[in-house]
Amino acid sequence: MVFPRVIATDLDGTLLGLDGRVSERNRRALTAAVAAGVKLVLSTARPPRTTHHIASLFTCSAVLCGNGAVAQLPGADPFIRALDTATAGTVIGELRGALPGVGFGVETGTDFYHDADYDLEPWVPRDWVREVVGSTDTLLERARPITKLLVRSQGVPVHLLHETAAQAVGTMVEVTYSGGYGLLEMSASGVDKGSTLAMVCERWGVSAEEVVAFGDMPNDLPALSWAGAGYAMASGHPALLDPALGLRTAPPAHEDGVGRIVEELLA
C-alpha cells in the first residue's frame, strides 16, 4: 500500500485501552503521523460531548461522531446528516411491532433524550440525559435534529435485535451496533462511518487507496471496507475477523494495536 494521507480510527475498543484512555504509545504514534503530514480522523459512535476530551489530545483534521452523522472539521460549523422526523416515526412504529418492550432514545448532536420505556445503561451518568419523555411522539417533537435513533432492550441479545430490526426497517435507515448491551444504533439511510469518511476525504482530494482505517465493531465495517487498508482489531468483534471480508488485522486494542501499526507505516 502507499504511504497513507489519512489515518481514521475508531475510539472505544480500538484506540482506547481497557481503561478508556489513550495509551502513551498510541498518542506518540499518531502525533508522529500528523507531524509527517498525515491527516488524522477520529471516527466514533460517541456523541461530540463525550469525544472532545479525546480529540483534544491530537491535532485532528476531522472528528466524526454518531457513526458519521456529525462531522466536525477545524474552523467550520458541524455538518449534520440527520434522520428526518417522519422516517424516525415510521421506524419506531415498525419496531414496536417487531420488538415488543423496547425503548427509544435520540441523540441530537448536543443532547440525549429518551422515552419512559428506555432502560438507561448502568454506566451512563444520569446528568447526560437532557430529558425523559412520556411517549415516542413527544420524543420526536423535543429531540431534534435526530443524529442517532437508539433502540434499547434488556432481554434480547444485540445480534438478535440487529437481525430483527434490519429485516423490519433496514431499507429506511442504517442499522448497526457498537457494543454488547442490547443497544441498536440507527442513522439516516446512507449515513455511516464509511460514507462520511469518504465525504471528507473527497473534500481533501484523498482517494480510498490513500486511507488507513482502524475499528473493532460492526459499525466500523463501512469505513474499514472503504479504506485502502482497513484494520480490524484482533480483540474486536469476531465478524470483522472473517477472512472473506479481506480486512487486515491489527494487534489487540489493549496491546496498543493502532500505535504499533502506525509505527510500522511510518518506518
Side-chain angles (χ1 to χ4, degrees):
M1 62 168 291
V2 299
F3 185 76
R5 293 178 62 194
V6 170
I7 292 175
T9 180
D10 171 52
L11 298 181
D12 297 283
T14 301
L15 181 63
L16 306 185
L18 297 176
D19 59 357
R21 298 174 182 271
V22 178
S23 72
E24 183 60 21
R25 185 173 186 176
N26 282 347
R27 188 196 65 77
R28 284 199 312 267
L30 290 178
T31 299
V34 171
V38 177
K39 292 182 180 296
L40 175 61
V41 177
L42 300 186
S43 180
T44 179
R46 292 182 179 218
R49 66 180 177 278
T50 63
T51 305
H52 291 317
H53 69 289
I54 301 169
S56 68
L57 300 175
F58 304 100
T59 301
C60 298
S61 293
V63 179
L64 313 180
C65 294
N67 291 327
V70 183
Q72 178 69 70
L73 279 69
D77 292 332
F79 181 72
I80 307 295
R81 306 179 72 194
L83 173 63
D84 71 86
T85 303
T87 301
T90 301
V91 167
I92 287 173
E94 293 291 333
L95 292 180
R96 284 225 180 270
L99 294 166
V102 296
F104 295 89
V106 169
E107 282 285 357
T108 67
T110 56
D111 296 297
F112 175 57
Y113 299 73
H114 67 80
D115 66 20
D117 294 325
Y118 188 99
D119 180 58
L120 194 66
E121 300 91 324
W123 52 267
V124 176
R126 270 43 186 173
D127 60 3
W128 283 8
V129 180
R130 175 66 178 270
E131 187 177 1
V132 180
V133 299
S135 69
T136 50
D137 286 343
T138 305
L139 179 68
L140 296 180
E141 290 172 4
R142 303 270 181 89
R144 299 182 184 179
I146 304 172
T147 59
K148 187 162 64 172
L149 177 66
L150 301 169
V151 184
R152 177 91 167 115
S153 173
Q154 275 189 295
V156 183
V158 68
H159 69 283
L160 295 180
L161 277 177
H162 181 264
E163 180 180 330
T164 301
Q167 291 175 352
V169 300
T171 59
M172 291 184 279
V173 291
E174 301 298 327
V175 185
T176 190
Y177 59 97
S178 58
Y181 297 92
L183 182 67
L184 292 182
E185 305 163 23
M186 299 185 182
S187 305
S189 180
V191 175
D192 56 40
K193 287 189 175 189
S195 64
T196 303
L197 178 60
M199 180 185 72
V200 298
C201 286
E202 181 179 9
R203 175 173 178 162
W204 296 329
V206 174
S207 67
E209 289 72 23
E210 299 171 298
V211 179
V212 171
F214 297 91
D216 73 309
M217 290 295 289
N219 65 321
D220 295 308
L221 183 57
L224 301 182
S225 299
W226 177 80
Y231 284 88
M233 309 307 291
S235 51
H237 195 285
L240 296 189
L241 303 177
D242 182 349
L245 293 177
L247 301 178
R248 306 181 187 206
T249 303
H254 60 273
E255 295 179 8
D256 302 326
V258 170
R260 289 165 64 180
I261 295 297
V262 172
E263 289 168 356
E264 292 176 7
L265 295 173
L266 293 175

